[in-house]
Amino acid sequence: MIAVGKWITKHKTLIIILSILLLIPSVIGMAKTKTNYDLLSYLPDTLETVSGQDIMVDEFGMGAFSMVIVENMDMKDVSALKEEIKDVQHVSDVLWYDSVMDISVPVEMLPQEVKDVLFHGDATMLIVLFDDTTSADHSMQAVTDLRKLVGENVSYPG
């Protein structure tokens, strides 16, 4: 063991150069490795949950969804943002208050259950539906595009 230690200290320049050379493929590998957040992709295809997601994509054209939280924004501005979000590629639909009623109708007219889902104080939530599964590259790109699109008073948890 002492002999190995002496060899390492004697050839420290070689060890440092070798370490730097080994760091290069490590950094490239880190940059090219994608993180998969979709737990369903690890489950067997025979599970009902996986089958259900496949049915949602095949039959209804939507497999994933996300939520966008908007704070301190006028109803007409939220409606305009909704239309911009609809134009993002691979977003199949956006559900919000104006999907059910015209924005000229007061929020107080909504049933309490619906109001509790869509509104909380000065914040409102839009539900964004994607045309593919959660882990699909198209959905991930749509999430990236949504994050670029939304402004300062909009939260996009993903």
Side-chain angles (χ1 to χ4, degrees), residues 24-151:
I24 294 170
S26 300
V27 169
I28 292 171
M30 280 176 36
K32 298 258 182 204
T33 302
K34 292 192 291 185
T35 304
N36 184 2
Y37 295 104
D38 184 15
L39 295 176
L40 293 180
S41 64
Y42 298 106
L43 298 175
D45 292 337
T46 56
L47 279 178
E48 290 180 11
T49 306
V50 177
S51 301
Q53 182 175 3
D54 293 341
I55 291 170
M56 289 292 289
V57 171
D58 296 340
E59 300 293 325
F60 300 103
M62 67 176 115
F65 72 94
S66 189
M67 293 170 228
V68 177
I69 311 295
V70 178
E71 293 181 289
N72 302 322
M73 219 179 207
D74 291 335
M75 297 286 262
K76 61 180 170 58
D77 294 334
V78 177
S79 186
L81 178 65
K82 175 188 166 190
E83 294 305 317
E84 288 180 44
I85 292 173
K86 272 186 174 180
D87 291 338
V88 172
Q89 194 171 14
H90 298 290
V91 170
S92 63
D93 201 5
V94 181
L95 303 175
W96 183 60
Y97 177 63
D98 71 349
S99 302
V100 182
M101 295 191 151
D102 189 72
I103 60 173
S104 62
V105 176
V107 175
E108 291 75 23
M109 298 289 291
L110 281 174
Q112 191 63 38
E113 298 85 24
V114 176
K115 193 167 36 170
D116 288 344
V117 169
L118 295 176
F119 296 97
H120 183 73
D122 290 338
T124 184
M125 179 177 65
L126 294 95
I127 301 169
V128 181
L129 304 172
F130 300 106
D131 61 5
D132 210 342
T133 61
T134 306
S135 63
D137 290 336
H138 298 98
S139 298
M140 294 297 177
Q141 183 59 47
V143 167
T144 302
D145 294 344
L146 280 174
R147 286 192 173 139
K148 290 177 187 174
L149 175 70
V150 298

